Amino acid sequence: VFGRTPGAPSAIATSALLAFAASPAAPSMATSAEIASTLVAPGAAVWSLQGGCTGVEGRPTQGAGKLAEATDDAKAFLAARAAAREMAEAIILGPQPAEGVAPAEVYHQIMFLGLLRPGGFLLLEEAAGEAMASLLRLVDTDVAAAVLRRVETEAREGTVVVELSRGWSAGMPTPSMCMPPAAEDSEGLRKRRGAA
């Protein structure tokens, strides 16, 4: 598709997703990897940061993208990508991206290091779960500030898909980075002020 911005969902990708969802062999809802591969240009990088993945590099997805799966250490995977100056067109993040690391920490690393290309997609699996609550708070802040926008897809229930604004400079601090950490809620701040 000529003249299309890389990473932008094309009419072909949208129709491929709809055809997949309507096919009798398809599950009732598409997986995040299948959704991501329909949203990106052919050969684009799709990273899966779900804990316990196999570490496969460059495996093609069912659609257009090339899937790179992190091992159990998502932060090390992202640090290596940042050192190589790589960016992803889509990143899949679940409630357990690495042992002992909160999804919100991984999101901050992605945004701070500029690892998601402007116009790229972040797919949050099992977003309704308690482990993802602080991450969703950050994402909602960035959606309200127009850094991200929600995208409607045929993803499985509980999956949230957001797109990074094409006008956003990768690596710039997002409004959510200015929020206090989850442990410092408003009650905790009031306690400290009262003690002073």
Side-chain angles (χ1 to χ4, degrees), residues 50-114:
Q50 299 160 317
C53 289
T54 60
V56 175
E57 291 286 333
R59 179 168 58 87
T61 61
Q62 286 188 357
K66 272 193 186 170
L67 184 65
E69 299 178 356
T71 60
D72 286 333
D73 192 350
K75 290 184 87 172
F77 176 88
L78 293 174
R81 294 297 187 254
R85 297 182 181 228
E86 295 178 20
M87 296 174 87
E89 296 286 343
I91 299 176
I92 303 166
L93 180 60
Q96 297 177 329
E99 191 173 322
V101 179
E105 289 180 58
V106 176
Y107 174 74
H108 270 165
Q109 186 177 11
I110 291 167
M111 301 305 279
F112 182 74
L113 296 175

Side-chain angles (χ1 to χ4, degrees), residues 1-86:
V1 180
F2 297 102
R4 188 170 69 81
T5 305
S10 68
I12 294 169
T14 303
S15 63
L17 176 60
L18 294 174
F20 172 80
S23 73
S28 60
M29 299 304 258
T31 67
S32 293
E34 292 161 347
I35 294 292
S37 69
T38 62
L39 294 172
V40 300
V46 176
W47 300 345
S48 177
L49 304 180
Q50 299 160 317
C53 289
T54 60
V56 175
E57 291 286 333
R59 179 168 58 87
T61 61
Q62 286 188 357
K66 272 193 186 170
L67 184 65
E69 299 178 356
T71 60
D72 286 333
D73 192 350
K75 290 184 87 172
F77 176 88
L78 293 174
R81 294 297 187 254
R85 297 182 181 228
E86 295 178 20

Side-chain angles (χ1 to χ4, degrees), residues 90-168:
I91 299 176
I92 303 166
L93 180 60
Q96 297 177 329
E99 191 173 322
V101 179
E105 289 180 58
V106 176
Y107 174 74
H108 270 165
Q109 186 177 11
I110 291 167
M111 301 305 279
F112 182 74
L113 296 175
L115 297 172
L116 183 62
R117 189 176 304 283
F121 299 90
L122 189 62
L123 294 89
L124 311 174
E125 291 195 328
E126 300 177 43
E130 189 176 319
M132 298 289 274
S134 68
L135 171 58
L136 284 178
R137 189 172 132 240
L138 300 176
V139 167
D140 288 343
T141 299
D142 291 341
V143 167
V147 172
L148 301 172
R149 81 172 178 89
R150 290 191 185 266
V151 177
E152 293 298 321
T153 66
E154 295 291 324
R156 292 180 177 166
E157 187 175 340
T159 300
V160 172
V161 181
V162 292
E163 179 182 13
L164 182 61
S165 169
R166 293 181 189 287
W168 194 259

